[in-house]
Amino acid sequence: MLDFSSLLLAAALSGTCLSITMLAIWFTAPRARFVLTVACGILVLVAHVVLFWQYTKEPNPWLCQAVLALLSLGFLIICLSAMQYLGVGNQGSVVVPTVTAMAVCALVTYLGFDGVGFIITYTTVTALLAVIGVMFWTKGGHDRRILLVVSFLSGTCAVSFALCGAMLAIHGQWVLGVAPDNWAERLNTVVAVACMTGLGALTLSLHHLQAQIELKAETLTDPLTGLMNRRALNSLYGERAFGPFMAVVMFDLDHFKRTNDLFGHPVGDKVLCRFAAIIRKYGRNGVDAFRLGGEEFALVISRMTEEKAYDLASKIGVAFGAEVVPTPRGPLRSSVSGGIGFGAAGGSSLDEVLAEADKALYAAKHAGRNRVLVLDKESKAGGPALRSA
């Protein structure tokens, strides 16, 4: 026969150790706010367990209300931490129903129907755990194995709380006067300890996974423009074979050194960001933009004919020419030159296509700048310069 008090104390000890571990992790990585939120939620649940243990010894109505409120609040905070991690907004859709249920629970408990209060609280916790499980099942975009285990543990814990509420409802225990004690309560305590321990370990794994993702994103992203960098270009396309419907456009901002010399580097940074914004504006599926360094940019285009790729690059050049950057010395207009390299039917490497695009860009610079050229395409190479409206 399991000793109920020992189970409760084990749950409190397990939760305390988990929260201390998570707080220590948060102090070393303050950006991982969801870890802090989980730690706070577990501490609230530890307080619930301690008070519930006291309630089993000396039951009274006010202690009962505190026990039930802390149980709902603890799982609400854990649910909010899951929303933080997954980037799910509209937290009010969870907070408002939970707070409403807590208020109703407090009212019926005050009126003496503490059994109904327990049923309401168990139902609320079941719903919160179900929401956590569904969010990780449907919203997670990282390591599916970890996320599915989180969903399983949340669902298992939800079932154990649902059984506790069902036992009270089936036996019509609307008024208790003491802490409920039945097989479902004992099972729930064991399951809750196991699930909380497992969720704590998985939280550490999720923190490690998120840190790896953020580090990778930082190493593959240009900090000024937010575009991907040269390392990302090589990572994504270094091993790809460029077919006839793939192209690389290389852009180089015209007279950019003179812009920095005359207007200053802060203005030059604004010009770079404006061009990055133009590229994003014309982005679509199959179009990836990169800043290679300095004033050099690249666009990798997939699933597009040569004519359409050329038209897209030309539109970007025209749109950038229409941009005006205000400066202390007056409005600044800039232009850009571009060169396009295309893949081949037999497949070309990234270096080969980049080399062709670079030659076309060099030709565009020598042809007067402010244009996009394609090597060996006389109808386009001999065309007019792009307009700077």
Side-chain angles (χ1 to χ4, degrees):
M1 190 76 173
L2 291 172
D3 180 60
F4 197 27
S5 295
S6 298
L7 289 175
L8 292 175
L9 292 176
L13 180 61
S14 174
T16 301
C17 293
L18 276 175
S19 60
I20 292 174
T21 302
M22 292 179 186
L23 286 173
I25 290 175
W26 177 75
F27 276 118
T28 61
R31 292 175 59 185
R33 295 181 180 177
F34 83 98
V35 175
L36 174 63
T37 309
V38 172
C40 292
I42 292 178
L43 283 176
V44 172
L45 291 177
V46 168
H48 155 77
V49 171
V50 172
L51 290 183
F52 187 74
W53 175 78
Q54 180 65 28
Y55 183 65
T56 61
K57 306 296 183 183
E58 300 176 6
N60 71 75
W62 295 109
L63 191 56
C64 179
Q65 290 199 27
V67 165
L68 296 179
L70 287 175
L71 182 60
S72 294
L73 180 61
F75 280 103
L76 172 62
I77 295 174
I78 290 177
C79 184
L80 294 177
S81 73
M83 298 177 78
Q84 271 185 321
Y85 177 77
L86 296 172
V88 178
N90 194 21
Q91 296 179 343
S93 62
V94 173
V95 174
V96 173
T98 303
V99 173
T100 301
M102 291 171 64
V104 173
C105 175
L107 177 61
V108 297
T109 304
Y110 175 77
L111 295 175
F113 296 95
D114 56 338
V116 177
F118 274 97
I119 293 173
I120 292 174
T121 300
Y122 289 149
T123 303
T124 302
V125 171
T126 299
L128 288 170
L129 286 166
V131 168
I132 294 172
V134 170
M135 284 193 301
F136 274 98
W137 184 277
T138 60
K139 302 291 185 181
H142 307 319
D143 192 324
R144 297 297 301 174
R145 293 168 297 180
I146 296 178
L147 301 182
L148 293 180
V149 173
V150 173
S151 295
F152 172 76
L153 291 177
S154 299
T156 302
C157 199
V159 170
S160 70
F161 276 103
L163 288 174
C164 291
M167 285 295 296
L168 295 177
I170 290 172
H171 292 95
Q173 295 178 294
W174 316 123
V175 179
L176 295 172
V178 295
D181 186 9
N182 51 56
W183 67 267
E185 291 285 343
R186 296 171 183 272
L187 175 65
N188 171 257
T189 304
V190 174
V191 170
V193 171
C195 289
M196 287 298 103
T197 302
L199 287 173
L202 289 172
T203 299
L204 303 183
S205 298
L206 291 172
H207 165 64
H208 179 66
L209 178 62
Q210 186 180 56
Q212 285 184 318
I213 292 171
E214 290 177 353
L215 178 61
K216 183 177 180 180
E218 289 176 359
T219 59
L220 299 179
T221 303
D222 173 54
L224 176 63
T225 63
L227 298 178
M228 291 181 284
N229 58 20
R230 185 183 290 272
R231 180 177 296 179
L233 174 63
N234 290 326
S235 175
L236 292 174
Y237 293 99
E239 303 298 325
R240 289 279 296 275
F242 283 70
F245 294 101
M246 293 187 69
V248 173
V249 186
M250 289 191 66
F251 291 106
D252 188 279
L253 305 191
D254 297 330
H255 304 297
F256 186 71
K257 183 178 183 304
R258 188 171 66 187
T259 298
N260 278 333
D261 293 342
L262 291 177
F263 296 92
H265 288 277
V267 172
D269 288 346
K270 288 183 180 179
V271 172
L272 292 172
C273 291
R274 287 288 183 93
F275 184 71
I278 293 294
I279 288 182
R280 287 196 191 91
K281 180 180 177 181
Y282 284 89
R284 64 191 72 176
N285 289 335
V287 178
D288 290 324
F290 305 85
R291 183 188 177 198
L292 303 183
E295 67 272 27
E296 292 186 342
F297 295 79
L299 204 66
V300 176
I301 302 172
S302 304
R303 301 187 300 276
M304 196 176 295
T305 64
E306 294 186 6
E307 193 66 36
K308 288 186 177 180
Y310 176 80
D311 289 341
L312 175 63
S314 299
K315 288 178 180 177
I316 290 174
V318 171
F320 181 62
E323 287 286 310
V324 177
V325 177
T327 75
R329 299 171 62 97
L332 170 65
R333 291 179 183 269
S334 302
S335 62
V336 64
S337 299
I340 308 180
F342 293 98
S348 301
S349 67
L350 172 63
D351 289 338
E352 290 172 337
V353 181
L354 278 174
E356 181 182 335
D358 190 52
K359 290 178 183 178
L361 173 61
Y362 184 80
K365 289 285 188 182
H366 281 265
R369 296 184 171 84
N370 192 26
R371 67 192 70 209
V372 175
L373 296 186
V374 182
L375 287 184
D376 300 323
K377 304 288 185 182
E378 295 182 2
S379 61
K380 295 169 185 173
L386 296 176
R387 299 188 308 274
S388 290

